[in-house]
């Protein structure tokens, strides 16, 4: 039972344009959401997060949007740069309920075309 | 080092053998997590320590898997009677007091191959 789903295994975007990565979840108890970025042969690195009390969080070129009613979140990268090429994982947890483990999606491989 | 350190980076073993994977978390981080990532999948939770005790081991797939953190710092993941299906990258992560799942810092992983 995949509680966090990333339905697009891959995405290609022209350099300078906007990259939009999507994530859906099924567990209503999830109240904290994160995006991680992973380069080959490296561990995932934290990118940006959002609490369920917000619907948007912005950090430089990265913005995460949360739609609780649709159980959907998205990561926007603008403008996209070649160094953004990586695998992006969406993750969720239920921290309010004392659940400190992250549940990850299967990832989306983003390729930025110069 | 400043980050989470995992050893070995690569381990090849034969089916039925015993394996230990080590994780050295960021200094001062009280929470430590083990995840497993199979090819084409996202990281899958195995176990979480708060200090020396396992706060949640619900992700361990069966009793061949065991993890310890005797002094609240370094942790060892132990796999007995390895099977080919155990082949994966085993990731360790730690977080600072009060952060918990809000920001995990991952190591580079230990790639286990069971022949």
């Amino acid at each position: 039972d995949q509680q966090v789903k990333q339905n697009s295994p891959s995405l290609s975007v022209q350099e300078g344009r906007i990259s939009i990565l999507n994530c859906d979840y099924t567990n209503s108890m999830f109240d904290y959401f994160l995006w991680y970025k992973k380069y080959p042969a490296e561990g995932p690195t934290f990118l940006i997060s959002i609490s369920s009390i917000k619907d948007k969080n912005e950090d430089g070129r990265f913005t995460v949007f949360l739609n609780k009613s649709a159980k959907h979140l998205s990561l926007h990268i603008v403008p996209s740069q070649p160094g953004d090429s990586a695998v992006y994982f969406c993750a969720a947890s239920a921290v309010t309920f004392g659940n400190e483990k992250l549940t990850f999606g299967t990832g989306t491989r983003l390729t930025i075309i110069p | 080092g400043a980050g989470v350190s995992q050893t070995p980076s690569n381990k090849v073993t034969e089916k039925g053998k015993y394996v230990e994977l080590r994780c050295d978390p960021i200094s001062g981080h009280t929470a430590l997590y083990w995840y497993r990532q199979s090819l084409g999948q996202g990281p899958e939770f195995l176990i979480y320590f708060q200090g020396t005790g396992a706060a949640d081991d619900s992700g361990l797939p069966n009793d061949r898997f065991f993890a310890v953190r005797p002094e609240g710092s370094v942790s060892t993941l132990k796999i007995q009677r390895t099977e080919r299906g155990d082949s994966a990258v085993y990731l360790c992560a730690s977080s600072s007091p009060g952060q918990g799942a809000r920001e995990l810092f991952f190591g580079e992983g230990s790639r286990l191959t069971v022949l």
Side-chain angles (χ1 to χ4, degrees), chain A residues 83-99:
Chain A
D84 296 331
S85 294
V87 177
Y88 289 78
F89 291 98
C90 170
S93 66
V95 294
T96 305
F97 301 93
N99 188 334

Side-chain angles (χ1 to χ4, degrees), chain B residues 1 11 18 26 33-34 36 39 41 47 51-52 56 58-59 63 65 77 82-83 92-94 97 99-100 106:
Chain B
K11 175 71 177 179
Y18 170 80
I26 293 172
Y33 301 74
W34 283 100
R36 175 169 75 173
L39 196 63
Q41 301 296 314
I47 186 169
T52 60
D56 184 347
S58 61
D63 61 6
F65 288 75
L77 177 66
T82 51
E83 299 177 357
C92 178
S94 66
Q99 281 300 312
F106 282 87

Side-chain angles (χ1 to χ4, degrees), chain A residues 66-108:
Chain A
L66 175 63
N67 182 334
K68 287 187 293 293
S69 60
K71 293 190 177 67
H72 177 83
L73 64 156
S74 61
L75 174 68
H76 292 211
I77 307 172
V78 56
S80 300
Q81 299 174 354
D84 296 331
S85 294
V87 177
Y88 289 78
F89 291 98
C90 170
S93 66
V95 294
T96 305
F97 301 93
N99 188 334
E100 295 290 348
K101 69 185 184 189
L102 292 182
T103 301
F104 284 83
T106 53
T108 297

Side-chain angles (χ1 to χ4, degrees), chain B residues 1-82:
Chain B
V4 176
S5 175
Q6 290 188 246
T7 55
S9 54
N10 275 289
K11 175 71 177 179
V12 180
T13 190
E14 293 179 344
K15 181 175 178 292
K17 299 289 189 185
Y18 170 80
V19 165
E20 287 191 353
L21 306 175
R22 175 190 164 105
C23 173
D24 198 344
I26 293 172
S27 177
H29 280 195
T30 52
L32 184 146
Y33 301 74
W34 283 100
Y35 281 80
R36 175 169 75 173
Q37 186 174 13
S38 301
L39 196 63
Q41 301 296 314
E44 174 193 19
F45 172 79
L46 295 177
I47 186 169
Y48 150 60
F49 288 89
Q50 187 60 259
T52 60
D56 184 347
D57 65 357
S58 61
L60 294 177
N62 50 61
D63 61 6
R64 296 187 298 106
F65 288 75
F66 190 70
V68 295
R69 195 187 186 198
E71 296 177 358
S73 178
V74 171
S75 175
T76 304
L77 177 66
K78 307 181 181 193
I79 311 173
Q80 297 178 321
R81 305 183 304 280
T82 51

Side-chain angles (χ1 to χ4, degrees), chain A residues 16-70:
Chain A
R17 307 293 280 263
I18 183 171
S19 295
I20 300 176
L21 295 92
N22 294 302
C23 177
D24 297 291
Y25 62 96
T26 57
N27 189 337
S28 299
M29 292 176 66
F30 286 150
D31 56 6
Y32 201 80
F33 304 89
L34 307 91
W35 285 93
Y36 277 81
K37 175 178 177 179
K38 187 180 184 304
Y39 293 119
E42 295 185 10
T45 55
F46 171 77
L47 194 56
I48 192 168
S49 62
I50 187 166
S51 164
S52 61
I53 63 174
K54 295 185 174 182
D55 54 18
K56 176 183 174 181
N57 188 26
E58 191 172 352
D59 184 2
R61 297 186 297 115
F62 303 92
T63 304
V64 55
F65 295 91
L66 175 63
N67 182 334
K68 287 187 293 293
S69 60

